[in-house]
Amino acid sequence: MVGTMGLKVTKATKSKINEIDFDNLPFGKYFTDHMLVADYRDGEWKSAEIKPYQPLMMEPSLAAIHYGQSIFEGIKAYKNKEGEAYVFRPMDNFKRFNISAARMEMPEVPEEIFIEGMRQLIELDKNWIPAKQDYALYIRPFMFATDAVIGVKPSDSYKFLIILSPTGPYYSAPMKIYVEETYTRAAPGGVGFAKNAGNYGGSLHASAEAKRKGYDQVLWTDAFEHKWLQEVGTMNVMFIFGDKVVTPSLEEGTILEGVTRDSALTLLKEMGLTVEERRISIDELMEAYKSGKLTEAFGTGTAATISPIKELKYKDFVMNFDPSNFKSAIQLKKTMTDIKTGKLADTHEWMFKV
Ligand code: COI
């Protein structure tokens, strides 16, 4: 059983850091020198260690590959102006990770491995945190089933890993979004609220079709009527109607409870906007657009941060926006970035010191 005495750490003999162009970092392409690996079997976490980033060995019968018992999180670390490393709201991602684990019939990962392991891993690779505007060190914790058995059942053994990727913005330009009315991401009672790998695998065909039509992503709608808005492929979605921010509610369990979503709603409230978390239909959105009430549309996510939408297309109806006029989204993004990089006081205790 993993104790509190600390993780075994094996350092890389040579760093790869000089091979990386820190001015050009596509999302999730490069990984730091180290990773954390923990193994679960016989009902407990047996080992956890930090070691050089390297390939994993696996059986062709690995349960995760066949039936998708696999979950993940996305978190980001930043440097403040003194060069100290901070992580944005990792406890919230830790809690969500274990909610996903429960839904997928996987074991809980203890705080000592997830948070303390992450802290030690970042401490070791903190030189990899980019300093450039809109760049960050993306933290990817994940867990998957490792039984070498192809019977359909919850695995008895699992691997939990954390890898780190210095990264630029996910969407570098305002997005064109296609409102989806054929395919479905999630239905009540399903796994829409969980961050399981299959939610993303299942979305790829619809987003690829949207790309072929010239769109960056889809905006998912409900499974029954295809009219109630859910979330965008990799983000939650928000709309500004005058002095109100409207966003789909979490009640049905069909969308992800985004940490950036929660942070954005908190900051928008502080900026004086009224927050409405509720059902919102594509018809209401089109009416608000036609009457000039809908002034801004944007996505929120760890990878995407605050990503403005410049076009929303539903059937033959196209809604165009000029993101350079997005007062709330622009101010929100600046406030959030300033908190993350220590330029603004962290009054919500969101920043976790490494
Ligand atoms: C994130 O925002 O961290 C995500 O997990 C979304 C995506 C990159 C899969």
Side-chain angles (χ1 to χ4, degrees), residues 76-218:
K76 275 181 175 169
Y78 300 84
K79 260 187 205 157
N80 68 11
K81 48 188 184 311
E82 283 77 38
E84 297 164 325
Y86 279 85
V87 183
F88 187 67
R89 303 189 69 172
M91 286 305 290
D92 296 86
N93 294 86
F94 166 60
K95 286 180 199 143
R96 189 174 67 182
F97 188 82
N98 280 333
I99 290 171
S100 300
R103 179 62 180 82
M104 296 299 287
E105 201 54 36
M106 298 167 93
E108 253 188 40
V109 175
E111 185 174 332
E112 183 196 341
I113 296 179
F114 190 109
I115 296 289
E116 178 55 19
M118 180 199 71
R119 196 195 64 72
Q120 288 191 34
L121 180 64
I122 297 172
E123 175 71 43
L124 199 58
D125 283 344
K126 64 177 179 235
N127 290 346
W128 289 77
I129 304 176
K132 198 170 161 175
Q133 169 87 22
D134 292 337
Y135 282 47
L137 185 69
Y138 186 79
I139 304 162
R140 171 53 63 89
F142 58 107
M143 172 165 59
F144 58 92
T146 53
D147 278 7
V149 180
I150 54 169
V152 184
K153 66 168 191 61
S155 186
D156 290 323
S157 63
Y158 296 86
K159 258 191 197 309
F160 170 74
L161 287 95
I162 305 180
I163 54 175
L164 307 174
S165 174
T167 198
Y170 199 85
Y171 296 106
S172 47
M175 296 172 297
K176 285 175 72 176
I177 302 289
Y178 185 84
V179 181
E180 184 57 59
E181 39 150 357
T182 304
Y183 303 109
T184 298
R185 176 183 175 276
V191 288
F193 65 89
K195 216 158 165 63
N196 61 310
N199 276 344
Y200 296 80
S203 76
L204 297 178
H205 181 60
S207 57
E209 283 204 348
K211 276 202 180 101
R212 289 190 274 274
K213 292 179 190 137
Y215 290 84
D216 298 301
Q217 258 303 346
V218 298

Side-chain angles (χ1 to χ4, degrees), residues 145-334:
T146 53
D147 278 7
V149 180
I150 54 169
V152 184
K153 66 168 191 61
S155 186
D156 290 323
S157 63
Y158 296 86
K159 258 191 197 309
F160 170 74
L161 287 95
I162 305 180
I163 54 175
L164 307 174
S165 174
T167 198
Y170 199 85
Y171 296 106
S172 47
M175 296 172 297
K176 285 175 72 176
I177 302 289
Y178 185 84
V179 181
E180 184 57 59
E181 39 150 357
T182 304
Y183 303 109
T184 298
R185 176 183 175 276
V191 288
F193 65 89
K195 216 158 165 63
N196 61 310
N199 276 344
Y200 296 80
S203 76
L204 297 178
H205 181 60
S207 57
E209 283 204 348
K211 276 202 180 101
R212 289 190 274 274
K213 292 179 190 137
Y215 290 84
D216 298 301
Q217 258 303 346
V218 298
L219 170 52
W220 294 105
T221 52
D222 72 287
F224 307 111
E225 297 174 87
H226 283 300
K227 75 180 229 186
W228 301 101
L229 306 180
Q230 293 184 339
E231 64 176 53
V232 176
T234 52
M235 308 172 285
N236 294 114
V237 71
M238 298 192 181
F239 305 100
I240 304 285
F241 292 5
D243 58 1
K244 267 194 319 208
V245 53
V246 183
T247 194
S249 73
L250 303 169
E251 254 162 55
E252 270 188 346
T254 50
I255 66 169
L256 201 71
E257 185 169 354
V259 177
T260 308
R261 173 187 184 277
D262 179 72
S263 313
L265 295 179
T266 302
L267 295 176
L268 288 165
K269 231 182 259 173
E270 288 172 5
M271 283 159 50
L273 279 89
T274 306
V275 171
E276 288 184 10
E277 292 178 74
R278 61 171 170 82
R279 293 187 105 196
I280 171 165
S281 70
I282 186 66
D283 305 311
E284 178 185 350
L285 205 66
M286 289 191 298
E287 283 315 308
Y289 177 82
K290 285 184 209 154
S291 68
K293 271 199 225 134
L294 173 60
T295 50
E296 303 180 34
F298 54 91
T300 67
T302 297
T305 66
I306 306 298
S307 287
I309 294 171
K310 69 173 181 191
E311 184 181 323
L312 266 172
K313 181 179 160 79
Y314 175 67
K315 297 185 194 280
D316 291 330
F317 191 76
V318 177
M319 295 175 254
N320 285 303
F321 304 91
D322 177 359
S324 64
N325 288 333
F326 282 9
K327 258 179 49 203
S328 303
I330 291 171
Q331 194 190 333
L332 170 64
K333 182 159 186 201
K334 180 169 181 347

